[in-house]
Amino acid sequence: MFTSEKGAVEEWLSEFKTLPETSLSNYATNLKDKSSLVSSLYKVIQEPQSELLEPVCHQLFEFYRSGEEQLLRFTLQFLPELIWCYLAVSASRNVHSSGCIEALLLGVYNLEIVDKQGHSKVLSFTIPSLSKPSVYHEPSSIGSMALTESALSQHGLSKVVYSGPHPQREMLTAQNRFEVLTFLLLCYNAALTYMPSVSLQSLCQICSRICVCGYPRQHVRKYKGISSRIPVSSGFMVQMLTGIYFAFYNGEWDLAQKTLDDIIYRAQLELYPEPLLVANAIKASLPHGAMKSNKEGARCIQVEITPTSSRISRNAVTSMSIRGHRWKRHGGSKGSRQNKSSSDVDSVSCWNLQSRFKYDLSCQKIAFKM
């Protein structure tokens, strides 16, 4: 670590301590633009023996519990790197050098599992119905299944998945480690839209490292350093895939592609059905010709957005379409003897005659009743 980078981190540490509360919002707004500081903080976290690691972790925790949304997101962007450093140190059995990182992860976890009043949170998620259109599908393209889903949705039979309440933890052990880390990745994924590209790159890299370390593929990826296998849980891998799927369409296509292959590789070795299902579904849904790419790294997928206003299908059969089809066919037979303009006049005349006939018939019925 260079002297200039170390000086930038030390200045950042001292600046926040003397900051008045009235200036907290402006400080948080300007902080996200300091890319050189973010790069220096990554280097501090990647050096477990650094003397700045403990004060940096303490200040990141102060950011998280400050209540300022932008300071909270500033801490969250380092979460993948913090998780990797903790797992790497745990795998090397050098637990003492990860004490401050473990304290930060536990602090964030214990803050997230309760609301502002201190009550335990229960997170809920409603599984979307296939009968309702989204940016991913049209119900009409599913066929008969859409009718079944529509009938079920009308009766309010929607499935809701709950998560929590989660117990508070005072220390990380082999039994609760991935329960805590999985929940932390869930919190990170909830703020993915606010994460900078450097954080998405870190997420892809650490997911790849976690999956291949200690296996033959580590030599293919040319990852140096730790060579011990890092145990993972099925739920943790599913949360990894959630972040990777977001990275695909937000500037990290190539890196996410490599990470997805590594996650599938590890899930196959572990025989985990849930990560295999999600990973193969992501891989099967990746577009081939619908991707736009430029040298700046921004990529997007082309989708058709369903209008919010109701519309009638072009192929819908109505009385008007049947009537129009009948008179169109009648006009077509005349078109063999007359030109197009006279055919149009005849069609209009037939329409007028039909309207006249209906009017006369209604008048007769009224006269008959009288």
Side-chain angles (χ1 to χ4, degrees), residues 102-103 105-111 113 165-173 175-181:
E102 179 180 344
L105 294 175
L106 280 172
V108 173
Y109 168 81
N110 288 326
L111 284 176
I113 62 174
H166 297 275
Q168 292 222 355
R169 301 294 184 184
E170 295 182 358
M171 63 180 299
L172 291 178
T173 63
Q175 287 75 24
N176 64 24
R177 178 178 299 152
F178 280 99
E179 178 188 345
V180 173
L181 297 182

mmCIF file with all atom_site columns, all heavy atoms in Angstrom, residues 102-103 105-111 113 165-173 175-181:
data_model
loop_
_atom_site.group_PDB
_atom_site.id
_atom_site.type_symbol
_atom_site.label_atom_id
_atom_site.label_alt_id
_atom_site.label_comp_id
_atom_site.label_asym_id
_atom_site.label_entity_id
_atom_site.label_seq_id
_atom_site.pdbx_PDB_ins_code
_atom_site.Cartn_x
_atom_site.Cartn_y
_atom_site.Cartn_z
_atom_site.occupancy
_atom_site.B_iso_or_equiv
_atom_site.pdbx_formal_charge
_atom_site.auth_seq_id
_atom_site.auth_comp_id
_atom_site.auth_asym_id
_atom_site.auth_atom_id
_atom_site.pdbx_PDB_model_num
ATOM 1   N N   . GLU A 1 102 ? -15.060 -9.896  11.570 1.00 0.00 ? 102 GLU A N   1
ATOM 2   C CA  . GLU A 1 102 ? -16.175 -10.656 12.147 1.00 0.00 ? 102 GLU A CA  1
ATOM 3   C C   . GLU A 1 102 ? -17.092 -9.755  12.961 1.00 0.00 ? 102 GLU A C   1
ATOM 4   O O   . GLU A 1 102 ? -18.321 -9.867  12.895 1.00 0.00 ? 102 GLU A O   1
ATOM 5   C CB  . GLU A 1 102 ? -15.629 -11.786 13.026 1.00 0.00 ? 102 GLU A CB  1
ATOM 6   C CG  . GLU A 1 102 ? -16.721 -12.623 13.681 1.00 0.00 ? 102 GLU A CG  1
ATOM 7   C CD  . GLU A 1 102 ? -16.145 -13.737 14.544 1.00 0.00 ? 102 GLU A CD  1
ATOM 8   O OE1 . GLU A 1 102 ? -14.948 -14.051 14.398 1.00 0.00 ? 102 GLU A OE1 1
ATOM 9   O OE2 . GLU A 1 102 ? -16.897 -14.291 15.365 1.00 0.00 ? 102 GLU A OE2 1
ATOM 10  N N   . ALA A 1 103 ? -16.506 -8.831  13.724 1.00 0.00 ? 103 ALA A N   1
ATOM 11  C CA  . ALA A 1 103 ? -17.311 -7.901  14.523 1.00 0.00 ? 103 ALA A CA  1
ATOM 12  C C   . ALA A 1 103 ? -18.159 -7.003  13.630 1.00 0.00 ? 103 ALA A C   1
ATOM 13  O O   . ALA A 1 103 ? -19.326 -6.723  13.934 1.00 0.00 ? 103 ALA A O   1
ATOM 14  C CB  . ALA A 1 103 ? -16.400 -7.063  15.420 1.00 0.00 ? 103 ALA A CB  1
ATOM 15  N N   . LEU A 1 105 ? -19.240 -7.717  10.511 1.00 0.00 ? 105 LEU A N   1
ATOM 16  C CA  . LEU A 1 105 ? -20.297 -8.528  9.907  1.00 0.00 ? 105 LEU A CA  1
ATOM 17  C C   . LEU A 1 105 ? -21.410 -8.820  10.907 1.00 0.00 ? 105 LEU A C   1
ATOM 18  O O   . LEU A 1 105 ? -22.604 -8.747  10.574 1.00 0.00 ? 105 LEU A O   1
ATOM 19  C CB  . LEU A 1 105 ? -19.706 -9.834  9.371  1.00 0.00 ? 105 LEU A CB  1
ATOM 20  C CG  . LEU A 1 105 ? -18.716 -9.710  8.202  1.00 0.00 ? 105 LEU A CG  1
ATOM 21  C CD1 . LEU A 1 105 ? -18.124 -11.062 7.852  1.00 0.00 ? 105 LEU A CD1 1
ATOM 22  C CD2 . LEU A 1 105 ? -19.394 -9.088  6.987  1.00 0.00 ? 105 LEU A CD2 1
ATOM 23  N N   . LEU A 1 106 ? -21.038 -9.133  12.150 1.00 0.00 ? 106 LEU A N   1
ATOM 24  C CA  . LEU A 1 106 ? -22.043 -9.387  13.179 1.00 0.00 ? 106 LEU A CA  1
ATOM 25  C C   . LEU A 1 106 ? -22.839 -8.121  13.507 1.00 0.00 ? 106 LEU A C   1
ATOM 26  O O   . LEU A 1 106 ? -24.051 -8.185  13.734 1.00 0.00 ? 106 LEU A O   1
ATOM 27  C CB  . LEU A 1 106 ? -21.376 -9.920  14.449 1.00 0.00 ? 106 LEU A CB  1
ATOM 28  C CG  . LEU A 1 106 ? -21.019 -11.406 14.460 1.00 0.00 ? 106 LEU A CG  1
ATOM 29  C CD1 . LEU A 1 106 ? -20.182 -11.741 15.688 1.00 0.00 ? 106 LEU A CD1 1
ATOM 30  C CD2 . LEU A 1 106 ? -22.281 -12.253 14.432 1.00 0.00 ? 106 LEU A CD2 1
ATOM 31  N N   . GLY A 1 107 ? -22.151 -6.985  13.532 1.00 0.00 ? 107 GLY A N   1
ATOM 32  C CA  . GLY A 1 107 ? -22.848 -5.728  13.816 1.00 0.00 ? 107 GLY A CA  1
ATOM 33  C C   . GLY A 1 107 ? -23.883 -5.389  12.756 1.00 0.00 ? 107 GLY A C   1
ATOM 34  O O   . GLY A 1 107 ? -25.012 -4.986  13.069 1.00 0.00 ? 107 GLY A O   1
ATOM 35  N N   . VAL A 1 108 ? -23.523 -5.562  11.484 1.00 0.00 ? 108 VAL A N   1
ATOM 36  C CA  . VAL A 1 108 ? -24.458 -5.300  10.394 1.00 0.00 ? 108 VAL A CA  1
ATOM 37  C C   . VAL A 1 108 ? -25.634 -6.269  10.460 1.00 0.00 ? 108 VAL A C   1
ATOM 38  O O   . VAL A 1 108 ? -26.795 -5.888  10.280 1.00 0.00 ? 108 VAL A O   1
ATOM 39  C CB  . VAL A 1 108 ? -23.740 -5.396  9.032  1.00 0.00 ? 108 VAL A CB  1
ATOM 40  C CG1 . VAL A 1 108 ? -24.741 -5.301  7.878  1.00 0.00 ? 108 VAL A CG1 1
ATOM 41  C CG2 . VAL A 1 108 ? -22.694 -4.290  8.902  1.00 0.00 ? 108 VAL A CG2 1
ATOM 42  N N   . TYR A 1 109 ? -25.334 -7.547  10.732 1.00 0.00 ? 109 TYR A N   1
ATOM 43  C CA  . TYR A 1 109 ? -26.394 -8.560  10.831 1.00 0.00 ? 109 TYR A CA  1
ATOM 44  C C   . TYR A 1 109 ? -27.380 -8.223  11.946 1.00 0.00 ? 109 TYR A C   1
ATOM 45  O O   . TYR A 1 109 ? -28.599 -8.254  11.751 1.00 0.00 ? 109 TYR A O   1
ATOM 46  C CB  . TYR A 1 109 ? -25.753 -9.928  11.055 1.00 0.00 ? 109 TYR A CB  1
ATOM 47  C CG  . TYR A 1 109 ? -26.735 -11.004 11.451 1.00 0.00 ? 109 TYR A CG  1
ATOM 48  C CD1 . TYR A 1 109 ? -27.501 -11.658 10.489 1.00 0.00 ? 109 TYR A CD1 1
ATOM 49  C CD2 . TYR A 1 109 ? -26.898 -11.375 12.786 1.00 0.00 ? 109 TYR A CD2 1
ATOM 50  C CE1 . TYR A 1 109 ? -28.409 -12.656 10.851 1.00 0.00 ? 109 TYR A CE1 1
ATOM 51  C CE2 . TYR A 1 109 ? -27.790 -12.361 13.154 1.00 0.00 ? 109 TYR A CE2 1
ATOM 52  C CZ  . TYR A 1 109 ? -28.542 -13.003 12.190 1.00 0.00 ? 109 TYR A CZ  1
ATOM 53  O OH  . TYR A 1 109 ? -29.453 -13.979 12.555 1.00 0.00 ? 109 TYR A OH  1
ATOM 54  N N   . ASN A 1 110 ? -26.873 -7.910  13.129 1.00 0.00 ? 110 ASN A N   1
ATOM 55  C CA  . ASN A 1 110 ? -27.751 -7.628  14.272 1.00 0.00 ? 110 ASN A CA  1
ATOM 56  C C   . ASN A 1 110 ? -28.560 -6.356  14.082 1.00 0.00 ? 110 ASN A C   1
ATOM 57  O O   . ASN A 1 110 ? -29.652 -6.220  14.645 1.00 0.00 ? 110 ASN A O   1
ATOM 58  C CB  . ASN A 1 110 ? -26.920 -7.544  15.554 1.00 0.00 ? 110 ASN A CB  1
ATOM 59  C CG  . ASN A 1 110 ? -26.413 -8.896  16.007 1.00 0.00 ? 110 ASN A CG  1
ATOM 60  O OD1 . ASN A 1 110 ? -27.079 -9.913  15.831 1.00 0.00 ? 110 ASN A OD1 1
ATOM 61  N ND2 . ASN A 1 110 ? -25.206 -8.927  16.568 1.00 0.00 ? 110 ASN A ND2 1
ATOM 62  N N   . LEU A 1 111 ? -28.042 -5.410  13.295 1.00 0.00 ? 111 LEU A N   1
ATOM 63  C CA  . LEU A 1 111 ? -28.814 -4.208  12.993 1.00 0.00 ? 111 LEU A CA  1
ATOM 64  C C   . LEU A 1 111 ? -29.925 -4.486  11.986 1.00 0.00 ? 111 LEU A C   1
ATOM 65  O O   . LEU A 1 111 ? -31.011 -3.887  12.064 1.00 0.00 ? 111 LEU A O   1
ATOM 66  C CB  . LEU A 1 111 ? -27.896 -3.110  12.450 1.00 0.00 ? 111 LEU A CB  1
ATOM 67  C CG  . LEU A 1 111 ? -27.014 -2.367  13.450 1.00 0.00 ? 111 LEU A CG  1
ATOM 68  C CD1 . LEU A 1 111 ? -26.100 -1.393  12.718 1.00 0.00 ? 111 LEU A CD1 1
ATOM 69  C CD2 . LEU A 1 111 ? -27.861 -1.609  14.467 1.00 0.00 ? 111 LEU A CD2 1
ATOM 70  N N   . ILE A 1 113 ? -31.634 -7.356  11.422 1.00 0.00 ? 113 ILE A N   1
ATOM 71  C CA  . ILE A 1 113 ? -32.699 -8.295  11.785 1.00 0.00 ? 113 ILE A CA  1
ATOM 72  C C   . ILE A 1 113 ? -33.767 -7.654  12.663 1.00 0.00 ? 113 ILE A C   1
ATOM 73  O O   . ILE A 1 113 ? -34.767 -8.305  12.984 1.00 0.00 ? 113 ILE A O   1
ATOM 74  C CB  . ILE A 1 113 ? -32.127 -9.527  12.505 1.00 0.00 ? 113 ILE A CB  1
ATOM 75  C CG1 . ILE A 1 113 ? -31.437 -9.125  13.816 1.00 0.00 ? 113 ILE A CG1 1
ATOM 76  C CG2 . ILE A 1 113 ? -31.190 -10.295 11.585 1.00 0.00 ? 113 ILE A CG2 1
ATOM 77  C CD1 . ILE A 1 113 ? -30.987 -10.317 14.643 1.00 0.00 ? 113 ILE A CD1 1
ATOM 78  N N   . PRO A 1 165 ? -38.514 -14.664 12.091 1.00 0.00 ? 165 PRO A N   1
ATOM 79  C CA  . PRO A 1 165 ? -37.490 -13.779 12.681 1.00 0.00 ? 165 PRO A CA  1
ATOM 80  C C   . PRO A 1 165 ? -36.159 -14.504 12.869 1.00 0.00 ? 165 PRO A C   1
ATOM 81  O O   . PRO A 1 165 ? -36.117 -15.699 13.079 1.00 0.00 ? 165 PRO A O   1
ATOM 82  C CB  . PRO A 1 165 ? -38.111 -13.390 14.023 1.00 0.00 ? 165 PRO A CB  1
ATOM 83  C CG  . PRO A 1 165 ? -39.038 -14.529 14.356 1.00 0.00 ? 165 PRO A CG  1
ATOM 84  C CD  . PRO A 1 165 ? -39.558 -15.043 13.057 1.00 0.00 ? 165 PRO A CD  1
ATOM 85  N N   . HIS A 1 166 ? -35.078 -13.710 12.781 1.00 0.00 ? 166 HIS A N   1
ATOM 86  C CA  . HIS A 1 166 ? -33.738 -14.269 12.900 1.00 0.00 ? 166 HIS A CA  1
ATOM 87  C C   . HIS A 1 166 ? -33.181 -13.983 14.298 1.00 0.00 ? 166 HIS A C   1
ATOM 88  O O   . HIS A 1 166 ? -33.363 -12.877 14.822 1.00 0.00 ? 166 HIS A O   1
ATOM 89  C CB  . HIS A 1 166 ? -32.816 -13.657 11.844 1.00 0.00 ? 166 HIS A CB  1
ATOM 90  C CG  . HIS A 1 166 ? -33.242 -13.965 10.441 1.00 0.00 ? 166 HIS A CG  1
ATOM 91  N ND1 . HIS A 1 166 ? -32.879 -15.114 9.792  1.00 0.00 ? 166 HIS A ND1 1
ATOM 92  C CD2 . HIS A 1 166 ? -34.013 -13.263 9.567  1.00 0.00 ? 166 HIS A CD2 1
ATOM 93  C CE1 . HIS A 1 166 ? -33.399 -15.119 8.579  1.00 0.00 ? 166 HIS A CE1 1
ATOM 94  N NE2 . HIS A 1 166 ? -34.087 -14.000 8.420  1.00 0.00 ? 166 HIS A NE2 1
ATOM 95  N N   . PRO A 1 167 ? -32.506 -14.945 14.899 1.00 0.00 ? 167 PRO A N   1
ATOM 96  C CA  . PRO A 1 167 ? -31.952 -14.726 16.248 1.00 0.00 ? 167 PRO A CA  1
ATOM 97  C C   . PRO A 1 167 ? -30.712 -13.845 16.211 1.00 0.00 ? 167 PRO A C   1
ATOM 98  O O   . PRO A 1 167 ? -29.979 -13.825 15.217 1.00 0.00 ? 167 PRO A O   1
ATOM 99  C CB  . PRO A 1 167 ? -31.600 -16.141 16.706 1.00 0.00 ? 167 PRO A CB  1
ATOM 100 C CG  . PRO A 1 167 ? -31.321 -16.887 15.440 1.00 0.00 ? 167 PRO A CG  1
ATOM 101 C CD  . PRO A 1 167 ? -32.240 -16.300 14.399 1.00 0.00 ? 167 PRO A CD  1
ATOM 102 N N   . GLN A 1 168 ? -30.492 -13.117 17.269 1.00 0.00 ? 168 GLN A N   1
ATOM 103 C CA  . GLN A 1 168 ? -29.279 -12.308 17.377 1.00 0.00 ? 168 GLN A CA  1
ATOM 104 C C   . GLN A 1 168 ? -28.080 -13.215 17.637 1.00 0.00 ? 168 GLN A C   1
ATOM 105 O O   . GLN A 1 168 ? -28.206 -14.255 18.278 1.00 0.00 ? 168 GLN A O   1
ATOM 106 C CB  . GLN A 1 168 ? -29.430 -11.285 18.514 1.00 0.00 ? 168 GLN A CB  1
ATOM 107 C CG  . GLN A 1 168 ? -30.457 -10.219 18.232 1.00 0.00 ? 168 GLN A CG  1
ATOM 108 C CD  . GLN A 1 168 ? -29.994 -8.835  18.653 1.00 0.00 ? 168 GLN A CD  1
ATOM 109 O OE1 . GLN A 1 168 ? -28.938 -8.666  19.233 1.00 0.00 ? 168 GLN A OE1 1
ATOM 110 N NE2 . GLN A 1 168 ? -30.808 -7.843  18.347 1.00 0.00 ? 168 GLN A NE2 1
ATOM 111 N N   . ARG A 1 169 ? -26.934 -12.797 17.124 1.00 0.00 ? 169 ARG A N   1
ATOM 112 C CA  . ARG A 1 169 ? -25.716 -13.591 17.268 1.00 0.00 ? 169 ARG A CA  1
ATOM 113 C C   . ARG A 1 169 ? -24.631 -12.755 17.929 1.00 0.00 ? 169 ARG A C   1
ATOM 114 O O   . ARG A 1 169 ? -24.461 -11.578 17.624 1.00 0.00 ? 169 ARG A O   1
ATOM 115 C CB  . ARG A 1 169 ? -25.224 -14.059 15.898 1.00 0.00 ? 169 ARG A CB  1
ATOM 116 C CG  . ARG A 1 169 ? -26.219 -14.902 15.124 1.00 0.00 ? 169 ARG A CG  1
ATOM 117 C CD  . ARG A 1 169 ? -26.488 -16.227 15.804 1.00 0.00 ? 169 ARG A CD  1
ATOM 118 N NE  . ARG A 1 169 ? -27.382 -17.067 15.007 1.00 0.00 ? 169 ARG A NE  1
ATOM 119 C CZ  . ARG A 1 169 ? -27.837 -18.238 15.410 1.00 0.00 ? 169 ARG A CZ  1
ATOM 120 N NH1 . ARG A 1 169 ? -27.480 -18.721 16.598 1.00 0.00 ? 169 ARG A NH1 1
ATOM 121 N NH2 . ARG A 1 169 ? -28.655 -18.945 14.643 1.00 0.00 ? 169 ARG A NH2 1
ATOM 122 N N   . GLU A 1 170 ? -23.906 -13.385 18.840 1.00 0.00 ? 170 GLU A N   1
ATOM 123 C CA  . GLU A 1 170 ? -22.797 -12.716 19.519 1.00 0.00 ? 170 GLU A CA  1
ATOM 124 C C   . GLU A 1 170 ? -21.450 -13.094 18.932 1.00 0.00 ? 170 GLU A C   1
ATOM 125 O O   . GLU A 1 170 ? -20.469 -12.383 19.111 1.00 0.00 ? 170 GLU A O   1
ATOM 126 C CB  . GLU A 1 170 ? -22.824 -13.050 21.011 1.00 0.00 ? 170 GLU A CB  1
ATOM 127 C CG  . GLU A 1 170 ? -24.059 -12.497 21.721 1.00 0.00 ? 170 GLU A CG  1
ATOM 128 C CD  . GLU A 1 170 ? -24.038 -12.795 23.202 1.00 0.00 ? 170 GLU A CD  1
ATOM 129 O OE1 . GLU A 1 170 ? -23.077 -13.464 23.659 1.00 0.00 ? 170 GLU A OE1 1
ATOM 130 O OE2 . GLU A 1 170 ? -24.966 -12.364 23.903 1.00 0.00 ? 170 GLU A OE2 1
ATOM 131 N N   . MET A 1 171 ? -21.409 -14.219 18.233 1.00 0.00 ? 171 MET A N   1
ATOM 132 C CA  . MET A 1 171 ? -20.170 -14.650 17.584 1.00 0.00 ? 171 MET A CA  1
ATOM 133 C C   . MET A 1 171 ? -20.511 -15.601 16.441 1.00 0.00 ? 171 MET A C   1
ATOM 134 O O   . MET A 1 171 ? -21.593 -16.195 16.403 1.00 0.00 ? 171 MET A O   1
ATOM 135 C CB  . MET A 1 171 ? -19.222 -15.323 18.583 1.00 0.00 ? 171 MET A CB  1
ATOM 136 C CG  . MET A 1 171 ? -19.764 -16.599 19.200 1.00 0.00 ? 171 MET A CG  1
ATOM 137 S SD  . MET A 1 171 ? -18.613 -17.343 20.366 1.00 0.00 ? 171 MET A SD  1
ATOM 138 C CE  . MET A 1 171 ? -17.207 -17.671 19.315 1.00 0.00 ? 171 MET A CE  1
ATOM 139 N N   . LEU A 1 172 ? -19.590 -15.701 15.483 1.00 0.00 ? 172 LEU A N   1
ATOM 140 C CA  . LEU A 1 172 ? -19.775 -16.588 14.346 1.00 0.00 ? 172 LEU A CA  1
ATOM 141 C C   . LEU A 1 172 ? -19.111 -17.928 14.652 1.00 0.00 ? 172 LEU A C   1
ATOM 142 O O   . LEU A 1 172 ? -17.942 -17.981 15.058 1.00 0.00 ? 172 LEU A O   1
ATOM 143 C CB  . LEU A 1 172 ? -19.160 -15.984 13.080 1.00 0.00 ? 172 LEU A CB  1
ATOM 144 C CG  . LEU A 1 172 ? -19.860 -14.747 12.514 1.00 0.00 ? 172 LEU A CG  1
ATOM 145 C CD1 . LEU A 1 172 ? -19.103 -14.223 11.293 1.00 0.00 ? 172 LEU A CD1 1
ATOM 146 C CD2 . LEU A 1 172 ? -21.298 -15.062 12.126 1.00 0.00 ? 172 LEU A CD2 1
ATOM 147 N N   . THR A 1 173 ? -19.877 -19.002 14.469 1.00 0.00 ? 173 THR A N   1
ATOM 148 C CA  . THR A 1 173 ? -19.365 -20.352 14.663 1.00 0.00 ? 173 THR A CA  1
ATOM 149 C C   . THR A 1 173 ? -19.572 -21.149 13.383 1.00 0.00 ? 173 THR A C   1
ATOM 150 O O   . THR A 1 173 ? -20.195 -20.672 12.424 1.00 0.00 ? 173 THR A O   1
ATOM 151 C CB  . THR A 1 173 ? -20.084 -21.046 15.829 1.00 0.00 ? 173 THR A CB  1
ATOM 152 O OG1 . THR A 1 173 ? -21.482 -21.181 15.501 1.00 0.00 ? 173 THR A OG1 1
ATOM 153 C CG2 . THR A 1 173 ? -19.943 -20.242 17.118 1.00 0.00 ? 173 THR A CG2 1
ATOM 154 N N   . GLN A 1 175 ? -21.529 -23.524 13.020 1.00 0.00 ? 175 GLN A N   1
ATOM 155 C CA  . GLN A 1 175 ? -22.940 -23.868 12.885 1.00 0.00 ? 175 GLN A CA  1
ATOM 156 C C   . GLN A 1 175 ? -23.771 -22.712 12.331 1.00 0.00 ? 175 GLN A C   1
ATOM 157 O O   . GLN A 1 175 ? -24.685 -22.925 11.534 1.00 0.00 ? 175 GLN A O   1
ATOM 158 C CB  . GLN A 1 175 ? -23.521 -24.312 14.243 1.00 0.00 ? 175 GLN A CB  1
ATOM 159 C CG  . GLN A 1 175 ? -23.085 -25.679 14.714 1.00 0.00 ? 175 GLN A CG  1
ATOM 160 C CD  . GLN A 1 175 ? -21.660 -25.691 15.242 1.00 0.00 ? 175 GLN A CD  1
ATOM 161 O OE1 . GLN A 1 175 ? -21.132 -24.653 15.671 1.00 0.00 ? 175 GLN A OE1 1
ATOM 162 N NE2 . GLN A 1 175 ? -21.018 -26.855 15.217 1.00 0.00 ? 175 GLN A NE2 1
ATOM 163 N N   . ASN A 1 176 ? -23.465 -21.488 12.755 1.00 0.00 ? 176 ASN A N   1
ATOM 164 C CA  . ASN A 1 176 ? -24.323 -20.354 12.335 1.00 0.00 ? 176 ASN A CA  1
ATOM 165 C C   . ASN A 1 176 ? -23.666 -19.468 11.279 1.00 0.00 ? 176 ASN A C   1
ATOM 166 O O   . ASN A 1 176 ? -24.246 -18.467 10.863 1.00 0.00 ? 176 ASN A O   1
ATOM 167 C CB  . ASN A 1 176 ? -24.694 -19.496 13.550 1.00 0.00 ? 176 ASN A CB  1
ATOM 168 C CG  . ASN A 1 176 ? -23.493 -18.825 14.206 1.00 0.00 ? 176 ASN A CG  1
ATOM 169 O OD1 . ASN A 1 176 ? -22.460 -18.597 13.585 1.00 0.00 ? 176 ASN A OD1 1
ATOM 170 N ND2 . ASN A 1 176 ? -23.622 -18.515 15.486 1.00 0.00 ? 176 ASN A ND2 1
ATOM 171 N N   . ARG A 1 177 ? -22.466 -19.825 10.832 1.00 0.00 ? 177 ARG A N   1
ATOM 172 C CA  . ARG A 1 177 ? -21.693 -18.945 9.939  1.00 0.00 ? 177 ARG A CA  1
ATOM 173 C C   . ARG A 1 177 ? -22.469 -18.605 8.667  1.00 0.00 ? 177 ARG A C   1
ATOM 174 O O   . ARG A 1 177 ? -22.638 -17.439 8.316  1.00 0.00 ? 177 ARG A O   1
ATOM 175 C CB  . ARG A 1 177 ? -20.366 -19.609 9.596  1.00 0.00 ? 177 ARG A CB  1
ATOM 176 C CG  . ARG A 1 177 ? -19.489 -18.827 8.641  1.00 0.00 ? 177 ARG A CG  1
ATOM 177 C CD  . ARG A 1 177 ? -18.186 -19.569 8.438  1.00 0.00 ? 177 ARG A CD  1
ATOM 178 N NE  . ARG A 1 177 ? -17.465 -19.707 9.704  1.00 0.00 ? 177 ARG A NE  1
ATOM 179 C CZ  . ARG A 1 177 ? -16.616 -20.709 9.969  1.00 0.00 ? 177 ARG A CZ  1
ATOM 180 N NH1 . ARG A 1 177 ? -16.411 -21.659 9.065  1.00 0.00 ? 177 ARG A NH1 1
ATOM 181 N NH2 . ARG A 1 177 ? -15.983 -20.748 11.127 1.00 0.00 ? 177 ARG A NH2 1
ATOM 182 N N   . PHE A 1 178 ? -22.965 -19.632 7.990  1.00 0.00 ? 178 PHE A N   1
ATOM 183 C CA  . PHE A 1 178 ? -23.605 -19.362 6.697  1.00 0.00 ? 178 PHE A CA  1
ATOM 184 C C   . PHE A 1 178 ? -25.051 -18.900 6.840  1.00 0.00 ? 178 PHE A C   1
ATOM 185 O O   . PHE A 1 178 ? -25.601 -18.342 5.909  1.00 0.00 ? 178 PHE A O   1
ATOM 186 C CB  . PHE A 1 178 ? -23.509 -20.591 5.801  1.00 0.00 ? 178 PHE A CB  1
ATOM 187 C CG  . PHE A 1 178 ? -22.166 -20.711 5.148  1.00 0.00 ? 178 PHE A CG  1
ATOM 188 C CD1 . PHE A 1 178 ? -21.192 -21.555 5.665  1.00 0.00 ? 178 PHE A CD1 1
ATOM 189 C CD2 . PHE A 1 178 ? -21.846 -19.927 4.047  1.00 0.00 ? 178 PHE A CD2 1
ATOM 190 C CE1 . PHE A 1 178 ? -19.944 -21.635 5.076  1.00 0.00 ? 178 PHE A CE1 1
ATOM 191 C CE2 . PHE A 1 178 ? -20.598 -20.000 3.460  1.00 0.00 ? 178 PHE A CE2 1
ATOM 192 C CZ  . PHE A 1 178 ? -19.645 -20.858 3.977  1.00 0.00 ? 178 PHE A CZ  1
ATOM 193 N N   . GLU A 1 179 ? -25.633 -19.112 7.988  1.00 0.00 ? 179 GLU A N   1
ATOM 194 C CA  . GLU A 1 179 ? -26.932 -18.484 8.247  1.00 0.00 ? 179 GLU A CA  1
ATOM 195 C C   . GLU A 1 179 ? -26.786 -16.963 8.283  1.00 0.00 ? 179 GLU A C   1
ATOM 196 O O   . GLU A 1 179 ? -27.594 -16.229 7.709  1.00 0.00 ? 179 GLU A O   1
ATOM 197 C CB  . GLU A 1 179 ? -27.504 -18.997 9.567  1.00 0.00 ? 179 GLU A CB  1
ATOM 198 C CG  . GLU A 1 179 ? -28.828 -18.355 9.948  1.00 0.00 ? 179 GLU A CG  1
ATOM 199 C CD  . GLU A 1 179 ? -29.277 -18.737 11.349 1.00 0.00 ? 179 GLU A CD  1
ATOM 200 O OE1 . GLU A 1 179 ? -28.726 -19.700 11.909 1.00 0.00 ? 179 GLU A OE1 1
ATOM 201 O OE2 . GLU A 1 179 ? -30.175 -18.054 11.882 1.00 0.00 ? 179 GLU A OE2 1
ATOM 202 N N   . VAL A 1 180 ? -25.726 -16.486 8.942  1.00 0.00 ? 180 VAL A N   1
ATOM 203 C CA  . VAL A 1 180 ? -25.475 -15.044 9.025  1.00 0.00 ? 180 VAL A CA  1
ATOM 204 C C   . VAL A 1 180 ? -25.029 -14.489 7.676  1.00 0.00 ? 180 VAL A C   1
ATOM 205 O O   . VAL A 1 180 ? -25.541 -13.465 7.204  1.00 0.00 ? 180 VAL A O   1
ATOM 206 C CB  . VAL A 1 180 ? -24.415 -14.756 10.114 1.00 0.00 ? 180 VAL A CB  1
ATOM 207 C CG1 . VAL A 1 180 ? -24.025 -13.278 10.094 1.00 0.00 ? 180 VAL A CG1 1
ATOM 208 C CG2 . VAL A 1 180 ? -24.940 -15.142 11.485 1.00 0.00 ? 180 VAL A CG2 1
ATOM 209 N N   . LEU A 1 181 ? -24.093 -15.176 7.024  1.00 0.00 ? 181 LEU A N   1
ATOM 210 C CA  . LEU A 1 181 ? -23.563 -14.678 5.751  1.00 0.00 ? 181 LEU A CA  1
ATOM 211 C C   . LEU A 1 181 ? -24.614 -14.688 4.650  1.00 0.00 ? 181 LEU A C   1
ATOM 212 O O   . LEU A 1 181 ? -24.629 -13.798 3.791  1.00 0.00 ? 181 LEU A O   1
ATOM 213 C CB  . LEU A 1 181 ? -22.350 -15.504 5.334  1.00 0.00 ? 181 LEU A CB  1
ATOM 214 C CG  . LEU A 1 181 ? -21.135 -15.455 6.272  1.00 0.00 ? 181 LEU A CG  1
ATOM 215 C CD1 . LEU A 1 181 ? -19.989 -16.279 5.714  1.00 0.00 ? 181 LEU A CD1 1
ATOM 216 C CD2 . LEU A 1 181 ? -20.681 -14.015 6.512  1.00 0.00 ? 181 LEU A CD2 1
#
